[in-house]
């Protein structure tokens, strides 16, 4: 049986979850929190040849509570892929007009506001793992990315180019009516123009809300 004859949910399936991204997107756009144990159960029930479900999330050094949670998720069946968060200082420059109380002269002053930002860059880690899987597999496979991040667009195009046997699906939030609440990247939607339609699909995660919400 060739790839075209195999139902998608029966292909060898590898799932990659950008946890912080999809958790935040569902809360912001759809108003619900994901239960990641329920999400895993959903995938296990839907895909008969599920090989791996990989869980990518940043973690602060010394976060014992999150390490405990990771151990629990590993026992449930996830492959947990943590990445230590690093601290960065982000500076914003804000210009404000200031009037001298004595001479009434007005000038523009610049104020620098610094804030501490914690980042882990799991997207690079996740994308490299997807590319390795596709490039080292010579039979039909199904890659599922759970994320709204458009930074994965190039990785998806490369996977489809490198792996003639790979089909890629993205599970993400839908476009919001209020642009300020949009989380799904335009770049993920534009991929339909750049890759073969039968090898890429962008699916609305809200369609499985009842199966995965807390």
């Amino acid at each position: 049986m060739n790839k075209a004859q195999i139902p998608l949910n029966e292909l060898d399936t590898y799932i990659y979850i950008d946890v912080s991204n999809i958790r935040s997107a569902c809360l912001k756009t759809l108003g619900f929190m994901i239960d990641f144990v329920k999400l895993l159960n959903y995938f296990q029930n839907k895909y008969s040849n599920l090989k791996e479900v990989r869980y990518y999330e940043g973690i602060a050094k010394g976060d014992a509570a999150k390490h405990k949670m990771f151990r629990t998720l590993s026992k449930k069946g996830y492959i947990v892929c943590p990445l230590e968060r690093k601290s960065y200082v982000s500076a914003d420059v804000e210009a404000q007009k200031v009037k001298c109380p004595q001479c009434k002269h007005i000038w523009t002053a610049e104020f620098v506001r610094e804030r501490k930002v914690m980042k882990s860059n799991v997207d690079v880690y996740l994308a490299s793992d997807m590319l390795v899987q596709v490039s080292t597999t010579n039979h039909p496979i199904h890659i599922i990315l759970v994320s709204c991040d458009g930074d994965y667009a190039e990785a998806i195009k490369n996977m489809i180019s490198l792996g003639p046997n790979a089909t890629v699906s993205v599970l993400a939030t839908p476009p919001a009516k209020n642009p300020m609440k949009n989380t799904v990247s335009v770049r993920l939607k534009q991929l339909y123009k750049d890759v073969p339609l039968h090898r890429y699909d962008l699916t609305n995660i809200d369609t499985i809300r009842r199966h995965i919400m807390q």
Side-chain angles (χ1 to χ4, degrees), residues 161-185:
S161 175
L162 289 170
N165 295 306
T167 298
V168 182
S169 298
V170 176
L171 194 59
T173 57
K177 293 181 180 179
N178 180 353
M180 296 299 292
K181 287 190 174 183
N182 265 337
T183 50
V184 62
S185 171

Side-chain angles (χ1 to χ4, degrees), residues 65-111:
K66 184 162 281 190
H67 274 298
K68 181 179 179 180
M69 183 191 74
F70 286 171
R71 288 194 294 272
T72 299
L73 291 174
S74 294
K75 291 177 182 177
K76 295 291 183 182
Y78 277 111
I79 297 176
V80 178
C81 305
L83 197 61
E84 185 177 323
R85 290 194 175 108
K86 302 295 183 181
S87 175
Y88 301 88
V89 175
S90 175
D92 298 317
V93 179
E94 180 180 342
Q96 293 184 5
K97 292 189 180 299
V98 180
K99 179 189 284 187
C100 175
Q102 296 179 347
C103 69
K104 308 303 181 184
H105 176 71
I106 298 176
W107 72 93
T108 300
E110 291 187 344
F111 297 89

Side-chain angles (χ1 to χ4, degrees), residues 25-203:
C26 284
L27 187 59
K28 180 179 177 181
T29 304
L30 301 173
F32 77 90
M33 285 289 290
I34 296 177
D35 182 319
F36 284 93
V37 174
K38 288 183 179 180
L39 180 63
L40 177 63
N41 291 337
Y42 171 80
F43 288 139
Q44 290 171 333
N45 291 327
K46 183 174 178 63
Y47 298 102
S48 58
N49 287 313
L50 184 62
K51 299 301 182 183
E52 295 179 352
V53 184
R54 303 177 73 90
Y55 179 106
Y56 295 79
E57 188 175 16
I59 182 171
K61 188 174 182 179
D63 189 339
K66 184 162 281 190
H67 274 298
K68 181 179 179 180
M69 183 191 74
F70 286 171
R71 288 194 294 272
T72 299
L73 291 174
S74 294
K75 291 177 182 177
K76 295 291 183 182
Y78 277 111
I79 297 176
V80 178
C81 305
L83 197 61
E84 185 177 323
R85 290 194 175 108
K86 302 295 183 181
S87 175
Y88 301 88
V89 175
S90 175
D92 298 317
V93 179
E94 180 180 342
Q96 293 184 5
K97 292 189 180 299
V98 180
K99 179 189 284 187
C100 175
Q102 296 179 347
C103 69
K104 308 303 181 184
H105 176 71
I106 298 176
W107 72 93
T108 300
E110 291 187 344
F111 297 89
V112 178
R113 299 172 187 244
E114 292 187 348
R115 58 193 175 91
K116 186 177 180 181
V117 178
M118 301 295 289
K119 293 189 68 177
S120 56
N121 294 324
V122 297
D123 51 350
V124 177
Y125 184 10
L126 188 158
S128 63
D129 281 352
M130 289 194 300
L131 286 164
V132 167
Q133 185 61 59
V134 168
S135 62
T136 56
T137 304
N138 58 9
H139 63 271
I141 62 171
H142 184 198
I143 299 290
I144 300 176
L145 169 64
V146 186
S147 178
C148 299
D149 191 346
D151 286 346
Y152 293 112
E154 293 304 317
I156 292 169
K157 285 195 286 187
N158 286 333
M159 281 193 289
I160 290 174
S161 175
L162 289 170
N165 295 306
T167 298
V168 182
S169 298
V170 176
L171 194 59
T173 57
K177 293 181 180 179
N178 180 353
M180 296 299 292
K181 287 190 174 183
N182 265 337
T183 50
V184 62
S185 171
V186 172
R187 292 166 64 193
L188 293 176
K189 292 182 284 183
Q190 289 177 336
L191 278 175
Y192 282 116
K193 301 177 183 178
D194 301 326
V195 299
L197 293 180
H198 66 285
R199 297 184 58 201
Y200 173 70
D201 183 53
L202 178 59
T203 301

